[in-house]
Structures are given as C-alpha cells and as structure tokens.
Amino acid sequence: MNTPPFPTSRSAVRSRPDGIHGAPLLLAFALLGAACSSEAPAPTPDQIYAGIVAEARHTAASPGLSAAVAVDGELVWSGGSGLADVENDVPATAMSVYRIASISKPLAATAVMQLVERGQIDLDAPIQEYFPFPEKSHPVTTRHLLTHTSGIRHYNPGEFDMKDHFDSVEAAMEIFQDDPLLFEPGADYSYSTYAYNILAGIVETVSGVSFDRYMRENIWSPAGMDASFLEHQGDLVSHRVRQYVKSEEPEGVRNAPFADLSIKWAGGGMIASAPDLVRFALALDAGMLLGDDAQAEMTTPYVLTGGTTSDYALGWRIAEDDLGTWVAHSGGATGGSTHLLRLPGRGLAVALTANVQDGGGLPDAARQLAEAALATADAAE
C-alpha cells in the first residue's frame, strides 16, 4: 500500500488545533526555559514524547502504538501507548514487534546498495544480468526497480491480503512476472511493491544466500536489530502484536483478516520494533551499512526521462525545508501502519509503528517528535 508522504514544512505540523493536538510545539518552548505555570514544573522530555505518542495513537484510532526517537546519533526515548493485544489486555511497549509494511523497502534497498558498493551490481544494467526475470518490451534496470519507475505493476484486487504461501522469492513472482509493463521504464513513476520482489531475487542470486539470511547477516545484525525478521506465520516471535482493522462496533476495531506476507517480503513483509527501525537509521548515519557515496545516491531524487524530478529516490522519499533534507518512508499493511523519518544531518530518526490498518496522522506525529527532540538537544547545548 502506498501511504502519504511526510509533512515537508513546519507549518504542516503547526496548523494542528490547540489543546493536546498542538501541544508538542508549546512543550518544546518549555524545554527552552519557559515555565508552564507558576505552580507546575515544565514537562520532561520523556513526558513530551509520551504525550505526542498517546495523541498519535488516538489520531490513528489504533489499539496500540510504539515509537522511538534518536537525535545526535543517540536513541533518547522509546515507549508505547495502548494495547498490543486487545483481547488479552497486553500493553504496547518499546519491545512490541509490528508489521513495518513498506518500510521494508529502504531496508531491502540498502541490501542492494551494499552489493552495488562491492561492484557486484550495476544499477543501470538490465536486471536479467542478475536474475532470470522475463524480458519485457523495454529494458528494466535495478535503478528502475528501486525508484518505482520500472513499469512493473502494483497489487491487483485481492492480492494485498493474499492468503497463499510462497516457498521462495521466485514463486512469489509468478503472480505478476508475465504481465506487460505499465509504461517505458524511467518515463513515469508508479509505486510497485512487486518491483521489490525482483530486488530480493537479485540479492539472492548475486550474494548466493537467501534473502532472509542476507538481511540477518548484513543489515539487521550489524545494526543491532535483534527484533527484526521476515514475517513467517508459523514462527514464534517475542512481543509480536496482534493486527487490527477499524470497525464501527463499540470496540472500534476487529481482528485483521489473515494475510501471508511471503508474497512481498522485500517490499512489505518484514516485522520489527520501533527502536530497531531507529537503530537502522543510526547505523546508516554512522556509516556501518553503506559508505557516503552510496548513501548520497540513495537519497538523490530520481529524474524521469522527461525531466520531471520525483520525490522518491532509491528506497526513500525525500523533502527539504529550513531544517535540512528529510528522508522518510511510510507503510501500510494488513493490520498495520508505520512511519520512519530521518534528518541525517542531525543524526535524528523517529519511528512510529501502529497495529491498525489505515491509521492516519503518523507523518505529522513523527515530525512533532522530531521537533521536540531537536528542541531538547539544542536546549542542552
């Protein structure tokens, strides 16, 4: 599922109504020395973050929501609000593991770029040099796949919540591999989770190991992401949340329908905790996963053949404002909504993970957490 991009200006956040909805900026001023009242002490940073997260859960209408915040290269806060499991009254915490949906894409893109750095993949060579995908009317490159400009289609009706299990990356491609391209690669932008399936196949062929093993050994383990996995329905995963969809019933939610994510592991089939997503961002900022040149290429928006610049780069959405270049990705899964926001120039990363489908407001909440973290850090200097 393609979810809206993040706010690109402070006004997008500050336009929220007064009260707790608009509290983050008011509380940020408190961090800079303003007292809330003559009797009450100023809120602590932890209270500010927790308040934003609680309101984000309310706005998303999600049973549970977890979040993590880092600034200046350090994880400064993580926590949860609401319930990870409604039926069993299990609270959502920083350790809760959610479907991260399309945030899987920048993780998979990083794996590809590692192989590019090693000289094993040429981004502009036809993909058939690395994986036996059927040839199309025009050459498709790895760069096209990463930037959603390949012309490979997205889901057809019924495929988003598919229940079928696929034993391999190759098997999951049978659904779309014989379909024609939507347009000549590079000429247009069309979001495609299936394009990332092909990237997983390329990683497997070039590296000689399974996509699962490659991610564990080259991304998750180096970054200290101990609560990140490809979702396998039968596996026992500590702190995994239950997934929900919105309902008009009194509880407001129902259990999400069953969906087997083996159809889209690289594009939307990973699970992780919010702190793990922040650890991924920090590992990138520290140069633990990729060098500077590869990261610069990943965050350079793609220019279509007609000259139009996309806001999508190689696995990331990009925006700029007075604070710098923001790098982000959202995700929407069966029973989940997510957002990861980065400001690499400040070592800042914010992750929010919710266990409800179509949860709104996460990009705004991420920006609020980011501004609160920056205000806290600047006040401490």
Side-chain angles (χ1 to χ4, degrees), residues 57-106:
R57 183 180 70 82
H58 173 77
T59 300
S62 179
L65 189 147
S66 298
V69 181
V71 67
D72 294 331
E74 298 290 337
L75 181 66
V76 296
W77 184 85
S78 60
S81 174
L83 297 175
D85 182 335
V86 174
E87 291 171 305
N88 294 295
D89 201 34
V90 178
T93 70
M95 295 185 293
S96 298
V97 174
Y98 296 76
R99 287 178 170 170
I100 66 170
S102 286
I103 297 178
S104 304
K105 291 181 173 73

Side-chain angles (χ1 to χ4, degrees), residues 11-59:
S11 62
V13 175
R14 292 174 176 165
S15 63
R16 296 170 68 86
D18 292 334
I20 193 167
H21 290 268
L25 290 173
L26 177 62
L27 297 177
F29 283 117
L31 285 172
L32 296 174
C36 288
S37 72
S38 59
E39 299 179 358
T44 66
D46 286 359
Q47 290 172 330
I48 293 171
Y49 299 136
I52 297 171
V53 167
E55 176 59 18
R57 183 180 70 82
H58 173 77
T59 300

Side-chain angles (χ1 to χ4, degrees), residues 36 46-47 165 206 232 257 283 313 325 362 381:
C36 288
D46 286 359
Q47 290 172 330
H165 178 75
V206 172
H232 296 273
T325 299
L362 298 190
E381 291 182 354

